[in-house]
Amino acid sequence: MTYDATGRLLLTPVDREGPDRARRLRRLDVGLRPEPAFDLFADRLADVTGAPYAMVNFIDGTRQFFAGLHTPDGDRRGDGTARYRARDHGYCPHVVMRRKALVLEDVRDYPRFAGNPVVDESGIRSYLGAPLLDDCTGLALGTVCVVDTAPRPWGRAGLATIKTLAGELMEVVRRRGDLIT
């Protein structure tokens, strides 16, 4: 945890790997634009978990980008505005920094996470996400995640599911990297 100049607690951890992650994402040519394959993967995440929202999220040093996005109304905003979030909005940056999956069945039960802007701005109440770990660099490039506006008992089954799906997506990213190098 860090504090700003006024002594206020900052909820999003400092990300010293952001510049390296941004370079790796550019090299892999991911996280730069919406991709139909990632949108389809987000649709699958939502279908498998029953969540109304699902994302394939890549994080550089300053922002999050949903290269894959599923919403209940199907609005993926082709102009990309719905696909960007500040780095301090949401829970994915915590997953990236921890390099471990995160299960929040009701975010209000966790003081560290309850004050996140997505709770008030978007009404997010539950979160389930897993990191996208790059074997070549050791970096967590982003996450696959699902969220709901109601508390959700994700449980161990949800945790196992999201971790498996993250591994599946990283196989796709790895194959893409093999074509580049």
Side-chain angles (χ1 to χ4, degrees), residues 43-72:
D43 291 342
R44 182 168 167 232
L45 285 167
D47 185 53
V48 167
T49 62
Y53 299 92
M55 285 77 66
V56 173
N57 187 9
F58 294 103
I59 302 172
D60 64 20
T62 59
R63 67 182 175 114
Q64 303 177 65
F65 179 71
F66 304 132
L69 179 64
H70 173 90
T71 64

PDB file of all heavy atoms in Angstrom, residues 43-72:
ATOM      1  N   ASP A  43     -17.386 -13.566 -24.237  1.00  0.00           N
ATOM      2  CA  ASP A  43     -18.726 -14.164 -24.289  1.00  0.00           C
ATOM      3  C   ASP A  43     -18.717 -15.538 -23.626  1.00  0.00           C
ATOM      4  O   ASP A  43     -19.629 -15.889 -22.870  1.00  0.00           O
ATOM      5  CB  ASP A  43     -19.209 -14.304 -25.736  1.00  0.00           C
ATOM      6  CG  ASP A  43     -19.502 -12.983 -26.418  1.00  0.00           C
ATOM      7  OD1 ASP A  43     -19.679 -11.954 -25.729  1.00  0.00           O
ATOM      8  OD2 ASP A  43     -19.566 -12.988 -27.671  1.00  0.00           O
ATOM      9  N   ARG A  44     -17.684 -16.305 -23.911  1.00  0.00           N
ATOM     10  CA  ARG A  44     -17.565 -17.643 -23.309  1.00  0.00           C
ATOM     11  C   ARG A  44     -17.405 -17.551 -21.798  1.00  0.00           C
ATOM     12  O   ARG A  44     -18.022 -18.326 -21.048  1.00  0.00           O
ATOM     13  CB  ARG A  44     -16.381 -18.376 -23.929  1.00  0.00           C
ATOM     14  CG  ARG A  44     -16.230 -19.774 -23.407  1.00  0.00           C
ATOM     15  CD  ARG A  44     -15.237 -20.574 -24.233  1.00  0.00           C
ATOM     16  NE  ARG A  44     -14.901 -21.771 -23.514  1.00  0.00           N
ATOM     17  CZ  ARG A  44     -13.670 -22.163 -23.253  1.00  0.00           C
ATOM     18  NH1 ARG A  44     -12.634 -21.481 -23.695  1.00  0.00           N
ATOM     19  NH2 ARG A  44     -13.449 -23.261 -22.570  1.00  0.00           N
ATOM     20  N   LEU A  45     -16.586 -16.606 -21.324  1.00  0.00           N
ATOM     21  CA  LEU A  45     -16.426 -16.406 -19.879  1.00  0.00           C
ATOM     22  C   LEU A  45     -17.781 -16.158 -19.222  1.00  0.00           C
ATOM     23  O   LEU A  45     -18.107 -16.748 -18.184  1.00  0.00           O
ATOM     24  CB  LEU A  45     -15.528 -15.204 -19.596  1.00  0.00           C
ATOM     25  CG  LEU A  45     -14.037 -15.332 -19.800  1.00  0.00           C
ATOM     26  CD1 LEU A  45     -13.386 -13.954 -19.786  1.00  0.00           C
ATOM     27  CD2 LEU A  45     -13.435 -16.211 -18.725  1.00  0.00           C
ATOM     28  N   ALA A  46     -18.560 -15.259 -19.823  1.00  0.00           N
ATOM     29  CA  ALA A  46     -19.878 -14.930 -19.275  1.00  0.00           C
ATOM     30  C   ALA A  46     -20.797 -16.145 -19.296  1.00  0.00           C
ATOM     31  O   ALA A  46     -21.514 -16.407 -18.325  1.00  0.00           O
ATOM     32  CB  ALA A  46     -20.497 -13.777 -20.064  1.00  0.00           C
ATOM     33  N   ASP A  47     -20.762 -16.885 -20.384  1.00  0.00           N
ATOM     34  CA  ASP A  47     -21.624 -18.057 -20.507  1.00  0.00           C
ATOM     35  C   ASP A  47     -21.274 -19.126 -19.470  1.00  0.00           C
ATOM     36  O   ASP A  47     -22.154 -19.657 -18.789  1.00  0.00           O
ATOM     37  CB  ASP A  47     -21.505 -18.627 -21.925  1.00  0.00           C
ATOM     38  CG  ASP A  47     -22.466 -19.770 -22.158  1.00  0.00           C
ATOM     39  OD1 ASP A  47     -23.676 -19.600 -21.908  1.00  0.00           O
ATOM     40  OD2 ASP A  47     -21.997 -20.856 -22.587  1.00  0.00           O
ATOM     41  N   VAL A  48     -20.002 -19.416 -19.328  1.00  0.00           N
ATOM     42  CA  VAL A  48     -19.554 -20.470 -18.411  1.00  0.00           C
ATOM     43  C   VAL A  48     -19.838 -20.108 -16.958  1.00  0.00           C
ATOM     44  O   VAL A  48     -20.225 -20.957 -16.160  1.00  0.00           O
ATOM     45  CB  VAL A  48     -18.051 -20.757 -18.628  1.00  0.00           C
ATOM     46  CG1 VAL A  48     -17.473 -21.609 -17.509  1.00  0.00           C
ATOM     47  CG2 VAL A  48     -17.824 -21.429 -19.970  1.00  0.00           C
ATOM     48  N   THR A  49     -19.659 -18.833 -16.603  1.00  0.00           N
ATOM     49  CA  THR A  49     -19.819 -18.423 -15.208  1.00  0.00           C
ATOM     50  C   THR A  49     -21.216 -17.902 -14.886  1.00  0.00           C
ATOM     51  O   THR A  49     -21.558 -17.737 -13.717  1.00  0.00           O
ATOM     52  CB  THR A  49     -18.806 -17.317 -14.843  1.00  0.00           C
ATOM     53  OG1 THR A  49     -19.066 -16.173 -15.661  1.00  0.00           O
ATOM     54  CG2 THR A  49     -17.378 -17.802 -15.021  1.00  0.00           C
ATOM     55  N   GLY A  50     -21.997 -17.581 -15.920  1.00  0.00           N
ATOM     56  CA  GLY A  50     -23.310 -16.999 -15.692  1.00  0.00           C
ATOM     57  C   GLY A  50     -23.254 -15.545 -15.275  1.00  0.00           C
ATOM     58  O   GLY A  50     -24.228 -14.992 -14.762  1.00  0.00           O
ATOM     59  N   ALA A  51     -22.119 -14.889 -15.495  1.00  0.00           N
ATOM     60  CA  ALA A  51     -21.948 -13.489 -15.101  1.00  0.00           C
ATOM     61  C   ALA A  51     -22.452 -12.555 -16.208  1.00  0.00           C
ATOM     62  O   ALA A  51     -22.319 -12.865 -17.385  1.00  0.00           O
ATOM     63  CB  ALA A  51     -20.480 -13.203 -14.816  1.00  0.00           C
ATOM     64  N   PRO A  52     -23.001 -11.408 -15.839  1.00  0.00           N
ATOM     65  CA  PRO A  52     -23.484 -10.475 -16.855  1.00  0.00           C
ATOM     66  C   PRO A  52     -22.374  -9.717 -17.579  1.00  0.00           C
ATOM     67  O   PRO A  52     -22.572  -9.247 -18.701  1.00  0.00           O
ATOM     68  CB  PRO A  52     -24.375  -9.511 -16.070  1.00  0.00           C
ATOM     69  CG  PRO A  52     -23.881  -9.581 -14.667  1.00  0.00           C
ATOM     70  CD  PRO A  52     -23.345 -10.970 -14.486  1.00  0.00           C
ATOM     71  N   TYR A  53     -21.206  -9.574 -16.961  1.00  0.00           N
ATOM     72  CA  TYR A  53     -20.095  -8.859 -17.562  1.00  0.00           C
ATOM     73  C   TYR A  53     -18.855  -9.735 -17.528  1.00  0.00           C
ATOM     74  O   TYR A  53     -18.587 -10.397 -16.521  1.00  0.00           O
ATOM     75  CB  TYR A  53     -19.784  -7.567 -16.787  1.00  0.00           C
ATOM     76  CG  TYR A  53     -20.926  -6.598 -16.769  1.00  0.00           C
ATOM     77  CD1 TYR A  53     -21.862  -6.619 -15.732  1.00  0.00           C
ATOM     78  CD2 TYR A  53     -21.087  -5.655 -17.783  1.00  0.00           C
ATOM     79  CE1 TYR A  53     -22.924  -5.725 -15.711  1.00  0.00           C
ATOM     80  CE2 TYR A  53     -22.144  -4.764 -17.772  1.00  0.00           C
ATOM     81  CZ  TYR A  53     -23.063  -4.806 -16.734  1.00  0.00           C
ATOM     82  OH  TYR A  53     -24.110  -3.933 -16.720  1.00  0.00           O
ATOM     83  N   ALA A  54     -18.090  -9.703 -18.622  1.00  0.00           N
ATOM     84  CA  ALA A  54     -16.841 -10.461 -18.686  1.00  0.00           C
ATOM     85  C   ALA A  54     -15.844  -9.685 -19.543  1.00  0.00           C
ATOM     86  O   ALA A  54     -16.229  -9.024 -20.510  1.00  0.00           O
ATOM     87  CB  ALA A  54     -17.086 -11.844 -19.280  1.00  0.00           C
ATOM     88  N   MET A  55     -14.576  -9.796 -19.168  1.00  0.00           N
ATOM     89  CA  MET A  55     -13.541  -9.057 -19.866  1.00  0.00           C
ATOM     90  C   MET A  55     -12.262  -9.864 -20.045  1.00  0.00           C
ATOM     91  O   MET A  55     -11.919 -10.680 -19.196  1.00  0.00           O
ATOM     92  CB  MET A  55     -13.166  -7.788 -19.078  1.00  0.00           C
ATOM     93  CG  MET A  55     -14.152  -6.654 -19.133  1.00  0.00           C
ATOM     94  SD  MET A  55     -15.619  -6.835 -18.099  1.00  0.00           S
ATOM     95  CE  MET A  55     -15.013  -6.789 -16.453  1.00  0.00           C
ATOM     96  N   VAL A  56     -11.593  -9.604 -21.160  1.00  0.00           N
ATOM     97  CA  VAL A  56     -10.200  -9.962 -21.363  1.00  0.00           C
ATOM     98  C   VAL A  56      -9.485  -8.627 -21.261  1.00  0.00           C
ATOM     99  O   VAL A  56      -9.666  -7.753 -22.103  1.00  0.00           O
ATOM    100  CB  VAL A  56      -9.973 -10.611 -22.744  1.00  0.00           C
ATOM    101  CG1 VAL A  56      -8.488 -10.819 -22.990  1.00  0.00           C
ATOM    102  CG2 VAL A  56     -10.740 -11.923 -22.856  1.00  0.00           C
ATOM    103  N   ASN A  57      -8.717  -8.451 -20.201  1.00  0.00           N
ATOM    104  CA  ASN A  57      -8.185  -7.149 -19.825  1.00  0.00           C
ATOM    105  C   ASN A  57      -6.661  -7.161 -19.851  1.00  0.00           C
ATOM    106  O   ASN A  57      -6.040  -7.967 -19.166  1.00  0.00           O
ATOM    107  CB  ASN A  57      -8.690  -6.809 -18.421  1.00  0.00           C
ATOM    108  CG  ASN A  57      -8.342  -5.418 -17.983  1.00  0.00           C
ATOM    109  OD1 ASN A  57      -7.859  -4.598 -18.745  1.00  0.00           O
ATOM    110  ND2 ASN A  57      -8.590  -5.148 -16.716  1.00  0.00           N
ATOM    111  N   PHE A  58      -6.076  -6.260 -20.640  1.00  0.00           N
ATOM    112  CA  PHE A  58      -4.630  -6.085 -20.656  1.00  0.00           C
ATOM    113  C   PHE A  58      -4.308  -4.751 -19.999  1.00  0.00           C
ATOM    114  O   PHE A  58      -4.993  -3.758 -20.228  1.00  0.00           O
ATOM    115  CB  PHE A  58      -4.094  -6.139 -22.086  1.00  0.00           C
ATOM    116  CG  PHE A  58      -4.270  -7.494 -22.706  1.00  0.00           C
ATOM    117  CD1 PHE A  58      -5.281  -7.730 -23.619  1.00  0.00           C
ATOM    118  CD2 PHE A  58      -3.435  -8.550 -22.359  1.00  0.00           C
ATOM    119  CE1 PHE A  58      -5.458  -8.988 -24.182  1.00  0.00           C
ATOM    120  CE2 PHE A  58      -3.609  -9.810 -22.910  1.00  0.00           C
ATOM    121  CZ  PHE A  58      -4.620 -10.026 -23.829  1.00  0.00           C
ATOM    122  N   ILE A  59      -3.268  -4.731 -19.174  1.00  0.00           N
ATOM    123  CA  ILE A  59      -2.956  -3.565 -18.355  1.00  0.00           C
ATOM    124  C   ILE A  59      -1.528  -3.114 -18.632  1.00  0.00           C
ATOM    125  O   ILE A  59      -0.586  -3.889 -18.463  1.00  0.00           O
ATOM    126  CB  ILE A  59      -3.129  -3.894 -16.857  1.00  0.00           C
ATOM    127  CG1 ILE A  59      -4.563  -4.358 -16.587  1.00  0.00           C
ATOM    128  CG2 ILE A  59      -2.752  -2.697 -15.994  1.00  0.00           C
ATOM    129  CD1 ILE A  59      -4.791  -4.881 -15.193  1.00  0.00           C
ATOM    130  N   ASP A  60      -1.382  -1.856 -19.047  1.00  0.00           N
ATOM    131  CA  ASP A  60      -0.031  -1.307 -19.165  1.00  0.00           C
ATOM    132  C   ASP A  60       0.244  -0.487 -17.903  1.00  0.00           C
ATOM    133  O   ASP A  60      -0.407  -0.688 -16.886  1.00  0.00           O
ATOM    134  CB  ASP A  60       0.151  -0.520 -20.463  1.00  0.00           C
ATOM    135  CG  ASP A  60      -0.723   0.722 -20.563  1.00  0.00           C
ATOM    136  OD1 ASP A  60      -1.201   1.228 -19.525  1.00  0.00           O
ATOM    137  OD2 ASP A  60      -0.921   1.206 -21.696  1.00  0.00           O
ATOM    138  N   GLY A  61       1.133   0.436 -17.935  1.00  0.00           N
ATOM    139  CA  GLY A  61       1.495   1.176 -16.728  1.00  0.00           C
ATOM    140  C   GLY A  61       0.490   2.211 -16.287  1.00  0.00           C
ATOM    141  O   GLY A  61       0.525   2.670 -15.147  1.00  0.00           O
ATOM    142  N   THR A  62      -0.439   2.609 -17.173  1.00  0.00           N
ATOM    143  CA  THR A  62      -1.339   3.704 -16.842  1.00  0.00           C
ATOM    144  C   THR A  62      -2.819   3.392 -16.993  1.00  0.00           C
ATOM    145  O   THR A  62      -3.650   4.119 -16.463  1.00  0.00           O
ATOM    146  CB  THR A  62      -1.041   4.933 -17.725  1.00  0.00           C
ATOM    147  OG1 THR A  62      -1.206   4.562 -19.099  1.00  0.00           O
ATOM    148  CG2 THR A  62       0.369   5.438 -17.491  1.00  0.00           C
ATOM    149  N   ARG A  63      -3.166   2.347 -17.718  1.00  0.00           N
ATOM    150  CA  ARG A  63      -4.577   2.096 -17.985  1.00  0.00           C
ATOM    151  C   ARG A  63      -4.847   0.611 -18.168  1.00  0.00           C
ATOM    152  O   ARG A  63      -3.935  -0.189 -18.309  1.00  0.00           O
ATOM    153  CB  ARG A  63      -5.023   2.847 -19.231  1.00  0.00           C
ATOM    154  CG  ARG A  63      -4.351   2.277 -20.467  1.00  0.00           C
ATOM    155  CD  ARG A  63      -4.700   2.996 -21.722  1.00  0.00           C
ATOM    156  NE  ARG A  63      -3.900   2.423 -22.793  1.00  0.00           N
ATOM    157  CZ  ARG A  63      -4.393   1.754 -23.812  1.00  0.00           C
ATOM    158  NH1 ARG A  63      -5.672   1.586 -23.946  1.00  0.00           N
ATOM    159  NH2 ARG A  63      -3.606   1.250 -24.716  1.00  0.00           N
ATOM    160  N   GLN A  64      -6.127   0.319 -18.204  1.00  0.00           N
ATOM    161  CA  GLN A  64      -6.603  -1.019 -18.516  1.00  0.00           C
ATOM    162  C   GLN A  64      -7.311  -0.943 -19.862  1.00  0.00           C
ATOM    163  O   GLN A  64      -7.984   0.035 -20.159  1.00  0.00           O
ATOM    164  CB  GLN A  64      -7.610  -1.479 -17.474  1.00  0.00           C
ATOM    165  CG  GLN A  64      -7.074  -1.452 -16.061  1.00  0.00           C
ATOM    166  CD  GLN A  64      -8.135  -1.859 -15.077  1.00  0.00           C
ATOM    167  OE1 GLN A  64      -8.597  -2.988 -15.085  1.00  0.00           O
ATOM    168  NE2 GLN A  64      -8.532  -0.926 -14.226  1.00  0.00           N
ATOM    169  N   PHE A  65      -7.170  -2.004 -20.652  1.00  0.00           N
ATOM    170  CA  PHE A  65      -7.858  -2.057 -21.934  1.00  0.00           C
ATOM    171  C   PHE A  65      -8.542  -3.403 -22.075  1.00  0.00           C
ATOM    172  O   PHE A  65      -7.895  -4.447 -21.993  1.00  0.00           O
ATOM    173  CB  PHE A  65      -6.891  -1.844 -23.102  1.00  0.00           C
ATOM    174  CG  PHE A  65      -7.590  -1.920 -24.428  1.00  0.00           C
ATOM    175  CD1 PHE A  65      -8.442  -0.906 -24.828  1.00  0.00           C
ATOM    176  CD2 PHE A  65      -7.423  -3.010 -25.251  1.00  0.00           C
ATOM    177  CE1 PHE A  65      -9.118  -0.968 -26.034  1.00  0.00           C
ATOM    178  CE2 PHE A  65      -8.092  -3.088 -26.465  1.00  0.00           C
ATOM    179  CZ  PHE A  65      -8.941  -2.061 -26.855  1.00  0.00           C
ATOM    180  N   PHE A  66      -9.859  -3.376 -22.282  1.00  0.00           N
ATOM    181  CA  PHE A  66     -10.633  -4.597 -22.458  1.00  0.00           C
ATOM    182  C   PHE A  66     -10.604  -4.987 -23.929  1.00  0.00           C
ATOM    183  O   PHE A  66     -11.437  -4.561 -24.722  1.00  0.00           O
ATOM    184  CB  PHE A  66     -12.067  -4.408 -21.977  1.00  0.00           C
ATOM    185  CG  PHE A  66     -12.176  -3.944 -20.548  1.00  0.00           C
ATOM    186  CD1 PHE A  66     -12.999  -2.897 -20.201  1.00  0.00           C
ATOM    187  CD2 PHE A  66     -11.453  -4.568 -19.543  1.00  0.00           C
ATOM    188  CE1 PHE A  66     -13.112  -2.466 -18.895  1.00  0.00           C
ATOM    189  CE2 PHE A  66     -11.548  -4.145 -18.228  1.00  0.00           C
ATOM    190  CZ  PHE A  66     -12.377  -3.090 -17.902  1.00  0.00           C
ATOM    191  N   ALA A  67      -9.635  -5.817 -24.296  1.00  0.00           N
ATOM    192  CA  ALA A  67      -9.525  -6.284 -25.681  1.00  0.00           C
ATOM    193  C   ALA A  67     -10.675  -7.230 -26.012  1.00  0.00           C
ATOM    194  O   ALA A  67     -11.036  -7.396 -27.170  1.00  0.00           O
ATOM    195  CB  ALA A  67      -8.186  -6.977 -25.906  1.00  0.00           C
ATOM    196  N   GLY A  68     -11.244  -7.837 -24.986  1.00  0.00           N
ATOM    197  CA  GLY A  68     -12.442  -8.655 -25.115  1.00  0.00           C
ATOM    198  C   GLY A  68     -13.458  -8.178 -24.104  1.00  0.00           C
ATOM    199  O   GLY A  68     -13.109  -7.922 -22.945  1.00  0.00           O
ATOM    200  N   LEU A  69     -14.704  -8.014 -24.541  1.00  0.00           N
ATOM    201  CA  LEU A  69     -15.727  -7.444 -23.661  1.00  0.00           C
ATOM    202  C   LEU A  69     -17.081  -8.086 -23.919  1.00  0.00           C
ATOM    203  O   LEU A  69     -17.505  -8.225 -25.069  1.00  0.00           O
ATOM    204  CB  LEU A  69     -15.814  -5.935 -23.912  1.00  0.00           C
ATOM    205  CG  LEU A  69     -16.848  -5.137 -23.119  1.00  0.00           C
ATOM    206  CD1 LEU A  69     -16.541  -5.183 -21.627  1.00  0.00           C
ATOM    207  CD2 LEU A  69     -16.871  -3.692 -23.607  1.00  0.00           C
ATOM    208  N   HIS A  70     -17.736  -8.474 -22.840  1.00  0.00           N
ATOM    209  CA  HIS A  70     -19.116  -8.976 -22.894  1.00  0.00           C
ATOM    210  C   HIS A  70     -19.942  -8.146 -21.927  1.00  0.00           C
ATOM    211  O   HIS A  70     -19.566  -7.980 -20.763  1.00  0.00           O
ATOM    212  CB  HIS A  70     -19.189 -10.449 -22.496  1.00  0.00           C
ATOM    213  CG  HIS A  70     -20.596 -10.942 -22.378  1.00  0.00           C
ATOM    214  ND1 HIS A  70     -21.279 -11.487 -23.440  1.00  0.00           N
ATOM    215  CD2 HIS A  70     -21.462 -10.918 -21.336  1.00  0.00           C
ATOM    216  CE1 HIS A  70     -22.501 -11.786 -23.046  1.00  0.00           C
ATOM    217  NE2 HIS A  70     -22.640 -11.452 -21.774  1.00  0.00           N
ATOM    218  N   THR A  71     -21.061  -7.618 -22.422  1.00  0.00           N
ATOM    219  CA  THR A  71     -22.008  -6.902 -21.574  1.00  0.00           C
ATOM    220  C   THR A  71     -23.384  -7.516 -21.768  1.00  0.00           C
ATOM    221  O   THR A  71     -23.644  -8.137 -22.798  1.00  0.00           O
ATOM    222  CB  THR A  71     -22.061  -5.395 -21.926  1.00  0.00           C
ATOM    223  OG1 THR A  71     -22.551  -5.249 -23.256  1.00  0.00           O
ATOM    224  CG2 THR A  71     -20.698  -4.752 -21.786  1.00  0.00           C
ATOM    225  N   PRO A  72     -24.279  -7.350 -20.792  1.00  0.00           N
ATOM    226  CA  PRO A  72     -25.594  -7.989 -20.921  1.00  0.00           C
ATOM    227  C   PRO A  72     -26.386  -7.497 -22.128  1.00  0.00           C
ATOM    228  O   PRO A  72     -27.152  -8.255 -22.709  1.00  0.00           O
ATOM    229  CB  PRO A  72     -26.325  -7.641 -19.626  1.00  0.00           C
ATOM    230  CG  PRO A  72     -25.404  -6.845 -18.800  1.00  0.00           C
ATOM    231  CD  PRO A  72     -24.126  -6.661 -19.528  1.00  0.00           C
TER     232      PRO A  72
END
